[in-house]
Structure formats: structure tokens, C-alpha cells
Amino acid sequence: MYREVNEMPKCGSCGKLLNVDGITVSRLGRDVMFCSERCIEVFDTYKEPKYGKAALVGIPELA
Amino acid sequence: MTDSSTVSAPQAAPAETDPFLLEIIRNHLITTCREMGIAMMRTSYSPMFNEALDFTCVLFDADLEMIAQAPYCPAQIGTTLHVVPAAVREIGIENINPGDVIFTNDPYRGDNHLPEFVVIKPYFHDGEILAYSINIAHMTDIGGMVPAAFGDHRNTFQEGIRFPPVKCYERDEEVPSIFKIMISNVRTPKSSYGDMKAMIGSLYLAERRIDELVQRYGPDTFVRYCREIKNVSERLMREEIAKWPDGEYSAEGVIEDDGVVADRRWTIRTTVVIRGDELIVDFIGTDSQCFGSANQTFGTTASSAYNAVLHMVASKIPYNQGAYRPISVVTEPGSFVNVSYPAASVGGNSDTHPTTVDIILKAFAQISEHSSAADGGTCGCIGFGGQNPATGEPYAHLHLEGVGWGGRADHDGNDAQFVKNGNCANTPVEVAETRYPFLNMAYELETGSVGHGRRRGGFGTRRIFRFQSDGVNIASHTNRHTVSAWGLEGGLDGSNTVIAFRRKGETEWVRAREGFGTQSYGKFSGIVMNEGDEMLFVTPSGGGYGNPLEREPELVLADVQEELISAEVARDVYGVVIRDGRVDAQATAARRNGQES
């Protein structure tokens, strides 16, 4: 069944829409999907240290 | 975009790699991309492809990574890194057969915007996919509320038809339903069908060329060398990034309006983060997505980041996936640089992309002299449509126009050149007048107005159209009507865009807001011109680089002699006094020293 794009997750680091499953890990107390190992690394070493909890602003909760 | 085919890079390859064979395979792949483009140019129907060259041909390997490109449109090249894997994986590699072609234009799945049609064909060898050939091209019309897609849309449904990843060919046969849906939703069915077939034809050509390589060197060697081609580029790019000092360098800029809310500016904020041999372009802090179509998709934003970094790289690195690996992008979904469904985005790839590149270059200016002042920041996208009296059929034409580029430390800005997101050409006057019901009454450089500087900006253009039929429907998504291209290092800002109209027999030009009640001077739709009416289009100049008083007097004299600037500007802005066709050195020195008013 077709899923429209507003039902799809976004990468927790780059913000890209993930129309196929990415890598799901726990960050900031919730499950977050990332598009690649590289984006997880950028999140852990740059985005989360710099922005704290705001690092996930705009990243929708996984269904 | 730098031409990467003339580079000798394999010295960085490991010992077990034959550097000569690496070069042979790499150049064969790049040449294949070029040949795809030539085929596209010769077989397509619309001037958008055979004149303006708004398309890009690339090759990917079995890892779904880019292995070759030719210097076509940078915006499209960067986007393929995201839309191609997304489309192939959504279809599912296990569901792809020889002779299939995947098609999408979905801006939310990695594409730039709806007009950018993407077709992808796998190359099979002994039942396995070894490579993919890809053509991404800007279709002139995609249906929607205005001819040729650009205007003041509020959502994606007004922009045109959207295809998620689907197969448009199965086992070398057209999928009729896909073509029926596409053709029945555009204003230009014949040329759109022909253009689509030209795109797909280029994929078949590439398949033959890849097969030549595989047959000659074997599949294992092909796969191994594709990976090494990428690794070499990655090493070279990391070496370049490592030359810049670690740190965070921020800059911001605005888009003047979105065509929906008058005078509301939209701010893009970026921070370039250098960490050793890696680089992050962070857009957190950028405004929310706008109400019009100036939003960038993720694909456009990532592509603009790559585009800016590649402008800063001094050496000629072969541009493939390896060159992009050290570059990461951080965005917030729902922002101006990562639009969420169903907001509009057609204009984000035309007008916002070049401005985003220039904002990133402004950040780079803090650490490098290779940056530049801002360019004209608009593709000049004006759509014309209606009923063609010569054929009796509907038509749609997308006009593109060059602008002035920003000056940089060692060069004046280019004149009348398409902005940084595309290597597109204009459509020759003769071609446009043969096909469409309007004449060009004037087409020239817009001299006099420019961003002055030690290295001045380039000049924009001035064009007057006269319409030869009634009911010409005009829509526009253009920029820099109220916000100029900025100067750098003491250079002055550039001049602005002007679009204005006058009815037959009238002498005064009137702009869209005053004459037609639009919200914006440059982003509008629904203006109808009739036989004998005229439209004026002046494109912006680039910003200047460095203090104008430091420009060499002989260069100022040359600009005066070529009627690019006046003697008064030479005196008042550059402090150069010209008498009897020569520089008065004594008076110039006095003026520049502030001893003469």
C-alpha cells in the first residue's frame, strides 16, 4: 500500500526524508532514525553537543 | 562545475591499482556522461534541453554511489546523490529487471523540485546489477496552475503532477499508463513525450558504453576500479578540506519575499564547520518554510552545500561520490531549507539555491580569499503560455536569463551568466521567435548598474519582449527585485532586477505590484499580455569585491571606453579622473587621496 511522504520518518541529523527504513537508535530518550552511520556520528559529535535537546527539533517521532 | 576529465589523480591510488587502467576507466565513464548529454541535446524536442541544456547525466555503481558525471547542472548533480538511491531502494533492487527504467520527480524524496524528472536504468551483467545510468532533466511544463511551473504557488498540488518512484519501462517496453498520465497532465504533450524519450534514449546509450568496459576488463575489475575511483576523490577532497583552519564560520542572508506575503523576508542561516578533513554545513536557525514556492527541498539544500564547497576547492578533484563523502549537511525538517509536504518548492531550486551558495561562500570568506561576492541570485524564470496562433496548439515556454556574478579577489564577475546552480544557456532569440508568439525588441547588457569594487561585479542584461498574439499568460519566480547581491571586502552591492509591462501604445512601464496588484515584484502569476503589449526584463548585477578606490585606473578606463560605466562613475566611485580619453594620473591621485572633491 502506498505511504504518502508525511507518514515517513526524517533522519535525526541531516533531516532527510527516509522513504525506506534507516538505522534506528535511541537518542535523547526516544527512538530516532538516521539515514547512515555517518549521520549518527555527526549527531553524536556535533549536533547533540551543540544544540542539546533542541537537536531533535523538527524531527518527527517515529510511528 | 569543474571539468574533471583532465586531471591526473591516480597517483594517490594504492600500489595494487594500475593507475593507467584507473584513468582509462574513469575517463571512459566521464566521456559516457558527456555522450549521453550530446545525445540528449540532439534528440530532445524542447529548447529547454537542446538549447538551454537544463539536464544532467551521471553514472552510479552497484553500491548506488556516483562514479562519474559530466559538467552539466551542479544543482542536479548534487541532488542525484539523494534521489537516485531513494528511488531505487523504494522500488526494491529485488524487483528490478533488465530493461526497466525507474522514474520519479518527487521533491520530498530527494529531488530538487517537481520539474526535475529523473530516469534511472540499471546495467545488468550475468543477472547482477553492476551500474546505473541516470538522466535528470528540467521538463518545461508539468501541468499545474501556470505554464512552465514557476509562479506564486501555495502548495505542491498547484505546482504540477508528482510521481513517486515508479517504473516507466519494464523489460524494455514502455509502461503505457505512466506515459498516459504524464502526457495528459501537461500543456505540451508532444514535446514532453519526445523529451522523456530523449532522456531514456541517453540511458540506453550509456548502457552500451558501460558494457564495452565490462566486456573488455571483466566485471570484477570494473567493480573494483569503480570503488577505487571514488576512494581517490575522497582522499583528494579530504586533503583540500584539511588545508582550512578548524572552526565554525557563520553567515546569513535573505530571500526578499515568497510571492504570497508581501515584503516578508526569509532568512537562511548557515554555519560551516571544519573539523580536520571533514566539513559540516549546518542550517539550523534558518526560518520556517514559507507560504510560496521559494522553499528548498532537502536535495536542493544538500546540492547547494556541495556546490559552494566545490567552488572553494582549488584543485581539480574528479567529482564523484568520493568527493562528497567528507561533506555533511544538517537541516531542520519544515524549515526554509528542508520543505515538508505539501508546501511548494519549485522556486527554491531556481532562486533560493544560488543565494544559499552565496551565503555559504560568505561564511568561507572568513577563511579564504577564493570566495566571491554574491551573484544575481535568480535564474530569471519567467513562463509564457497560451494558444500559439501559428499552430493552434497550447504552448509553454520557460525563459531563463543570465545575471551578473560577484567579483572575487582576482577576477571581475562574469557578465550575463546563468547563476551558480546551473550551467544553462539562454535560448537564442531566433529559436524562441520561431517557436513562440513574441519578438525580442532589445537584448543587451544592462550597463551602468553594477556592484563596484576593486574587482567589480558582472553586468546583467536588458531585454524587451513584444507579444504577437492575445492571451499570453505570464508567470514569474525571480529574485533580487528589492534585495541586492552583496559586496565583499569593501565592494559595493549590485543592482536589482526589474520586470515591468506596458500596454500597446503606452509609454510608461508599470511593475507587477502597481499595475496588476500582485504581492511581489518578481513572484506572480496570471498577468495576461495581448498583441502589441511589451514586457521589460532587466536582470541584476553581481556584488563587488574590494574597495573600488583600489581598482587599477587602466581597468576603470577600459570600462569607460567600453561604455560599461560612465566617466562620472569612474570619477565619483573609483576616484579615477579621465580627460581626453586618458587617465589623468595627477588628478586621480589627488582624488583618491581625498585632496580633491
Side-chain angles (χ1 to χ4, degrees), chain A:
Chain A
M1 187 61 189
Y2 178 71
R3 270 195 314 164
E4 189 47 282
V5 289
N6 59 340
E7 300 173 6
M8 297 176 180
K10 308 278 178 73
C11 173
S13 185
C14 70
K16 179 166 63 176
L17 180 137
L18 299 171
N19 61 332
V20 292
D21 283 349
I23 308 165
T24 303
V25 296
S26 180
R27 292 289 185 274
L28 295 171
R30 66 170 165 115
D31 285 346
V32 183
M33 196 174 284
F34 292 89
C35 65
S36 65
E37 295 287 352
R38 171 65 184 154
C39 268
I40 296 175
E41 183 190 343
V42 170
F43 184 89
D44 289 342
T45 63
Y46 172 74
K47 196 178 178 191
E48 195 273 334
K50 181 168 183 175
Y51 297 109
K53 291 181 180 176
L56 290 177
V57 169
I59 307 296
E61 297 268 2
L62 295 181

Coordinates of all heavy atoms in Angstrom, one line a residue, chain A:
Chain A
M1 N 0.9 -1.2 0.0 CA 0.0 0.0 0.0 C 0.9 1.2 0.0 O 1.9 1.3 0.7 CB -0.9 0.0 1.2 CG -2.0 1.1 1.3 SD -3.1 1.0 -0.2 CE -4.0 2.5 0.0
Y2 N 0.5 2.2 -0.8 CA 1.3 3.4 -0.9 C 1.2 4.2 0.4 O 0.2 4.4 1.0 CB 0.8 4.3 -2.1 CG 1.5 5.6 -2.2 CD1 2.8 5.6 -2.7 CD2 0.9 6.8 -1.9 CE1 3.5 6.8 -2.8 CE2 1.6 8.0 -2.0 CZ 2.9 8.0 -2.5 OH 3.6 9.2 -2.6
R3 N 2.4 4.7 0.9 CA 2.5 5.6 2.0 C 2.9 7.0 1.5 O 3.8 7.1 0.7 CB 3.6 5.2 2.9 CG 3.2 4.2 4.0 CD 4.3 4.1 5.1 NE 5.7 4.0 4.6 CZ 6.8 4.2 5.3 NH1 6.7 4.6 6.6 NH2 8.0 4.1 4.8
E4 N 2.1 8.0 1.9 CA 2.4 9.3 1.5 C 3.6 9.8 2.3 O 3.9 9.3 3.4 CB 1.2 10.3 1.7 CG 1.4 11.7 1.1 CD 2.0 11.7 -0.4 OE1 3.2 11.5 -0.5 OE2 1.2 11.9 -1.3
V5 N 4.3 10.8 1.8 CA 5.6 11.2 2.4 C 5.4 11.8 3.8 O 6.4 11.8 4.6 CB 6.3 12.3 1.5 CG1 6.9 11.6 0.3 CG2 5.4 13.4 1.2
N6 N 4.2 12.3 4.1 CA 4.1 12.9 5.5 C 4.0 11.8 6.6 O 4.0 12.1 7.7 CB 2.8 13.8 5.6 CG 1.6 13.1 5.2 OD1 1.6 12.1 4.5 ND2 0.4 13.6 5.6
E7 N 3.9 10.5 6.1 CA 3.9 9.4 7.1 C 5.3 8.8 7.2 O 5.5 7.8 7.9 CB 2.9 8.3 6.6 CG 1.5 8.8 6.5 CD 0.6 7.8 5.8 OE1 1.1 6.6 5.6 OE2 -0.6 8.1 5.5
M8 N 6.3 9.4 6.6 CA 7.6 8.8 6.6 C 8.5 9.5 7.6 O 8.4 10.7 7.8 CB 8.2 8.9 5.2 CG 7.5 8.0 4.1 SD 8.2 8.2 2.5 CE 7.1 7.2 1.5
P9 N 9.5 8.8 8.2 CA 10.4 9.4 9.1 C 11.4 10.3 8.5 O 11.6 10.3 7.2 CB 11.1 8.2 9.8 CG 11.0 7.1 8.8 CD 9.8 7.4 8.0
K10 N 12.1 11.1 9.3 CA 13.2 12.0 8.8 C 14.4 11.7 9.6 O 14.4 11.3 10.8 CB 12.8 13.5 9.1 CG 11.5 13.9 8.6 CD 11.5 14.3 7.1 CE 10.2 14.7 6.5 NZ 9.7 16.0 6.9
C11 N 15.6 11.8 8.9 CA 16.9 11.5 9.6 C 17.1 12.5 10.7 O 16.9 13.7 10.6 CB 18.0 11.6 8.6 SG 19.6 11.4 9.3
G12 N 17.5 11.9 11.9 CA 17.7 12.8 13.1 C 18.9 13.8 12.9 O 19.0 14.7 13.7
S13 N 19.7 13.6 11.9 CA 20.8 14.5 11.8 C 20.7 15.5 10.6 O 20.6 16.7 10.7 CB 22.2 13.8 11.7 OG 23.2 14.7 11.6
C14 N 20.6 14.9 9.4 CA 20.5 15.7 8.2 C 19.1 16.2 7.9 O 18.9 17.2 7.2 CB 21.1 15.0 7.0 SG 20.1 13.6 6.4
G15 N 18.1 15.5 8.4 CA 16.7 15.9 8.3 C 16.1 15.4 7.0 O 15.0 15.7 6.7
K16 N 16.8 14.5 6.3 CA 16.3 14.0 5.0 C 15.1 13.0 5.3 O 15.2 12.3 6.2 CB 17.4 13.3 4.3 CG 17.0 12.6 3.0 CD 18.2 12.2 2.1 CE 19.1 11.2 2.7 NZ 20.2 10.8 1.9
L17 N 14.1 13.1 4.4 CA 13.0 12.1 4.5 C 13.6 10.7 4.2 O 14.4 10.6 3.2 CB 11.9 12.5 3.5 CG 10.7 11.6 3.4 CD1 9.5 12.5 3.4 CD2 10.8 10.7 2.2
L18 N 13.1 9.8 4.9 CA 13.5 8.4 4.8 C 12.4 7.6 4.2 O 11.5 7.1 4.9 CB 14.0 7.8 6.1 CG 15.2 8.5 6.7 CD1 15.5 8.1 8.1 CD2 16.4 8.4 5.8
N19 N 12.4 7.4 2.9 CA 11.3 6.7 2.2 C 11.5 5.2 2.3 O 10.6 4.4 2.0 CB 11.1 7.1 0.8 CG 12.3 6.9 -0.1 OD1 13.4 6.8 0.4 ND2 12.1 6.7 -1.4
V20 N 12.7 4.8 2.7 CA 12.9 3.4 3.1 C 13.6 3.4 4.5 O 14.2 4.4 4.9 CB 13.9 2.6 2.1 CG1 13.1 2.4 0.8 CG2 15.2 3.4 1.9
D21 N 13.5 2.3 5.2 CA 14.0 2.3 6.6 C 15.5 2.7 6.7 O 16.3 2.3 5.9 CB 13.8 1.0 7.2 CG 12.3 0.8 7.6 OD1 11.6 1.8 7.5 OD2 11.9 -0.4 8.0
G22 N 15.8 3.5 7.7 CA 17.2 3.8 8.0 C 17.6 3.0 9.2 O 17.2 1.9 9.5
I23 N 18.5 3.6 10.0 CA 19.1 2.9 11.2 C 18.4 3.6 12.4 O 18.5 4.8 12.7 CB 20.6 3.2 11.3 CG1 21.2 2.7 10.0 CG2 21.2 2.4 12.5 CD1 22.7 3.2 9.8
T24 N 17.7 2.8 13.2 CA 17.0 3.3 14.4 C 17.9 3.1 15.7 O 18.3 2.0 15.9 CB 15.7 2.6 14.6 OG1 14.9 2.8 13.4 CG2 14.9 3.2 15.8
V25 N 18.1 4.2 16.4 CA 18.9 4.1 17.7 C 18.1 5.0 18.7 O 17.3 5.8 18.3 CB 20.3 4.6 17.5 CG1 21.1 3.7 16.6 CG2 20.4 6.0 17.0
S26 N 18.5 4.8 19.9 CA 17.9 5.6 21.0 C 18.8 6.9 21.2 O 20.0 6.7 21.5 CB 17.8 4.8 22.3 OG 17.2 5.6 23.3
R27 N 18.2 8.0 21.2 CA 18.9 9.3 21.4 C 17.9 10.3 22.1 O 16.8 10.4 21.8 CB 19.4 9.9 20.1 CG 20.5 9.2 19.4 CD 21.8 9.2 20.2 NE 22.9 8.6 19.5 CZ 23.2 7.3 19.6 NH1 22.5 6.5 20.3 NH2 24.2 6.8 18.9
L28 N 18.4 10.9 23.2 CA 17.7 11.9 23.9 C 16.3 11.4 24.4 O 15.3 12.0 24.3 CB 17.4 13.2 23.0 CG 18.7 14.0 22.7 CD1 18.4 15.1 21.7 CD2 19.3 14.6 24.0
G29 N 16.4 10.1 24.8 CA 15.2 9.5 25.4 C 14.1 9.0 24.5 O 13.0 8.6 24.9
R30 N 14.4 8.9 23.2 CA 13.5 8.3 22.3 C 14.2 7.7 21.1 O 15.3 7.9 20.8 CB 12.5 9.4 21.8 CG 13.1 10.5 20.9 CD 11.9 11.3 20.4 NE 12.2 12.6 19.8 CZ 12.1 12.9 18.5 NH1 11.7 12.0 17.6 NH2 12.3 14.1 18.1
D31 N 13.4 6.8 20.4 CA 13.9 6.2 19.2 C 14.0 7.3 18.1 O 13.1 8.0 17.8 CB 13.1 5.1 18.7 CG 13.2 3.8 19.6 OD1 14.2 3.8 20.4 OD2 12.4 2.9 19.5
V32 N 15.2 7.3 17.4 CA 15.4 8.2 16.3 C 16.0 7.4 15.1 O 16.8 6.5 15.3 CB 16.4 9.3 16.7 CG1 16.6 10.3 15.6 CG2 16.0 10.0 18.0
M33 N 15.5 7.7 13.9 CA 16.0 7.0 12.7 C 17.1 7.9 12.0 O 16.9 9.1 11.9 CB 14.9 6.7 11.8 CG 15.3 5.6 10.7 SD 13.9 5.1 9.7 CE 13.1 4.0 10.9
F34 N 18.1 7.3 11.6 CA 19.2 8.0 10.8 C 19.3 7.4 9.5 O 19.1 6.2 9.3 CB 20.5 8.0 11.6 CG 20.5 8.8 12.9 CD1 20.1 8.2 14.1 CD2 20.8 10.2 12.9 CE1 20.1 9.0 15.2 CE2 20.8 10.9 14.1 CZ 20.4 10.3 15.2
C35 N 19.8 8.2 8.5 CA 20.0 7.6 7.1 C 21.3 6.9 7.0 O 21.4 6.1 6.0 CB 19.9 8.7 6.1 SG 21.2 10.0 6.1
S36 N 22.3 7.1 7.9 CA 23.6 6.5 7.7 C 24.3 6.5 9.0 O 24.0 7.3 9.9 CB 24.4 7.2 6.6 OG 24.6 8.5 7.0
E37 N 25.4 5.7 9.1 CA 26.3 5.7 10.2 C 27.0 7.1 10.3 O 27.2 7.6 11.4 CB 27.4 4.6 10.1 CG 26.8 3.2 10.1 CD 26.4 2.8 11.5 OE1 26.7 3.5 12.5 OE2 25.8 1.7 11.6
R38 N 27.2 7.7 9.2 CA 27.9 9.0 9.2 C 27.0 10.0 9.9 O 27.4 10.9 10.6 CB 28.2 9.4 7.7 CG 28.6 10.8 7.5 CD 30.0 11.1 8.2 NE 30.3 12.5 8.0 CZ 31.1 13.1 8.8 NH1 31.7 12.5 9.9 NH2 31.4 14.4 8.6
C39 N 25.7 10.0 9.6 CA 24.8 10.9 10.2 C 24.6 10.7 11.7 O 24.5 11.6 12.5 CB 23.4 10.9 9.5 SG 23.2 12.1 8.2
I40 N 24.7 9.4 12.1 CA 24.8 9.2 13.6 C 26.0 9.8 14.2 O 25.9 10.4 15.3 CB 24.7 7.6 13.9 CG1 23.4 7.0 13.3 CG2 24.9 7.4 15.3 CD1 23.4 5.5 13.5
E41 N 27.1 9.7 13.5 CA 28.3 10.3 14.1 C 28.2 11.8 14.1 O 28.7 12.4 15.1 CB 29.5 9.9 13.2 CG 30.9 10.4 13.6 CD 31.9 10.2 12.6 OE1 31.7 9.4 11.7 OE2 33.0 10.8 12.7
V42 N 27.7 12.4 13.1 CA 27.5 13.9 13.1 C 26.6 14.3 14.2 O 26.8 15.3 14.9 CB 27.0 14.4 11.7 CG1 26.6 15.8 11.8 CG2 28.1 14.2 10.7
F43 N 25.5 13.5 14.5 CA 24.6 13.8 15.6 C 25.3 13.7 16.9 O 25.2 14.6 17.7 CB 23.4 12.9 15.5 CG 22.4 13.2 16.6 CD1 21.3 14.1 16.3 CD2 22.4 12.6 17.8 CE1 20.4 14.4 17.2 CE2 21.5 12.9 18.8 CZ 20.5 13.8 18.5
D44 N 26.1 12.7 17.1 CA 26.7 12.4 18.4 C 27.9 13.4 18.7 O 28.1 13.7 19.8 CB 27.2 11.0 18.5 CG 26.1 10.0 18.6 OD1 24.9 10.4 18.9 OD2 26.3 8.8 18.3
T45 N 28.6 13.8 17.7 CA 29.8 14.6 17.9 C 29.6 16.0 17.6 O 30.4 16.9 18.0 CB 30.9 14.1 17.0 OG1 30.6 14.2 15.6 CG2 31.2 12.6 17.3
Y46 N 28.5 16.4 17.0 CA 28.3 17.8 16.7 C 26.9 18.3 17.0 O 26.7 19.2 17.9 CB 28.5 18.1 15.2 CG 28.1 19.5 14.8 CD1 28.9 20.6 15.1 CD2 26.9 19.7 14.0 CE1 28.5 21.9 14.8 CE2 26.5 21.0 13.7 CZ 27.3 22.1 14.1 OH 26.9 23.4 13.7
K47 N 25.8 17.7 16.5 CA 24.5 18.3 16.6 C 24.0 18.2 18.1 O 23.5 19.2 18.6 CB 23.5 17.5 15.7 CG 22.2 18.3 15.5 CD 21.3 17.6 14.5 CE 20.0 18.4 14.3 NZ 19.0 17.6 13.6
E48 N 24.1 17.1 18.7 CA 23.6 17.0 20.1 C 24.5 17.8 21.1 O 23.9 18.5 21.9 CB 23.5 15.5 20.5 CG 22.7 15.2 21.7 CD 23.5 15.3 23.0 OE1 24.7 15.1 22.9 OE2 22.9 15.6 24.1
P49 N 25.8 17.7 21.0 CA 26.6 18.5 21.9 C 26.3 20.0 21.7 O 26.4 20.8 22.7 CB 28.1 18.2 21.5 CG 28.0 16.8 20.9 CD 26.7 16.8 20.2
K50 N 26.1 20.5 20.5 CA 25.8 21.9 20.3 C 24.4 22.3 20.6 O 24.3 23.4 21.2 CB 26.1 22.2 18.8 CG 26.0 23.7 18.4 CD 26.5 24.0 17.1 CE 26.4 25.5 16.8 NZ 27.0 25.9 15.5
Y51 N 23.4 21.5 20.3 CA 22.1 22.0 20.5 C 21.3 21.3 21.6 O 20.2 21.7 22.0 CB 21.3 21.8 19.2 CG 21.8 22.6 18.0 CD1 22.5 22.0 17.0 CD2 21.7 24.0 18.0 CE1 23.0 22.7 15.9 CE2 22.2 24.7 16.9 CZ 22.9 24.1 15.9 OH 23.4 24.8 14.8
G52 N 21.9 20.3 22.2 CA 21.2 19.6 23.4 C 19.9 19.0 22.9 O 19.8 18.4 21.8
K53 N 18.9 19.2 23.8 CA 17.6 18.6 23.4 C 17.0 19.2 22.2 O 16.2 18.6 21.5 CB 16.6 18.9 24.6 CG 17.0 18.0 25.8 CD 16.0 18.3 27.0 CE 16.4 17.5 28.2 NZ 15.5 17.7 29.4
A54 N 17.4 20.4 21.8 CA 16.9 21.1 20.6 C 17.4 20.4 19.4 O 17.0 20.7 18.2 CB 17.3 22.5 20.6
A55 N 18.3 19.4 19.5 CA 18.9 18.8 18.4 C 17.8 18.0 17.6 O 18.0 17.7 16.4 CB 20.0 17.8 18.8
L56 N 16.7 17.7 18.2 CA 15.7 16.9 17.6 C 14.5 17.7 17.2 O 13.4 17.2 16.8 CB 15.3 15.7 18.4 CG 16.3 14.6 18.6 CD1 15.9 13.5 19.5 CD2 16.6 14.0 17.2
V57 N 14.6 19.1 17.3 CA 13.5 19.9 16.9 C 13.2 19.7 15.4 O 14.1 19.7 14.6 CB 13.9 21.4 17.1 CG1 12.8 22.3 16.5 CG2 13.9 21.7 18.6
G58 N 12.0 19.5 15.1 CA 11.5 19.3 13.7 C 11.6 17.8 13.3 O 11.1 17.5 12.2
I59 N 12.3 17.0 14.1 CA 12.4 15.6 13.7 C 11.2 14.8 14.3 O 11.0 14.7 15.5 CB 13.7 14.9 14.3 CG1 14.9 15.7 13.9 CG2 13.8 13.5 13.8 CD1 15.2 15.8 12.4
P60 N 10.2 14.4 13.5 CA 9.0 13.8 14.0 C 9.3 12.5 14.7 O 10.2 11.8 14.5 CB 8.2 13.5 12.7 CG 9.1 13.7 11.6 CD 10.3 14.4 12.0
E61 N 8.4 12.2 15.8 CA 8.5 11.0 16.5 C 8.2 9.8 15.5 O 7.4 9.9 14.6 CB 7.5 10.9 17.6 CG 7.6 12.0 18.7 CD 8.5 11.5 19.8 OE1 8.9 10.4 19.8 OE2 8.7 12.3 20.8
L62 N 8.9 8.7 15.8 CA 8.7 7.5 14.9 C 7.3 6.9 15.3 O 6.9 6.9 16.4 CB 9.7 6.4 15.2 CG 11.2 6.8 14.7 CD1 12.1 5.7 15.0 CD2 11.2 7.2 13.2
A63 N 6.6 6.5 14.2 CA 5.2 5.9 14.5 C 5.4 4.6 15.2 O 6.3 3.9 15.0 CB 4.6 5.8 13.1

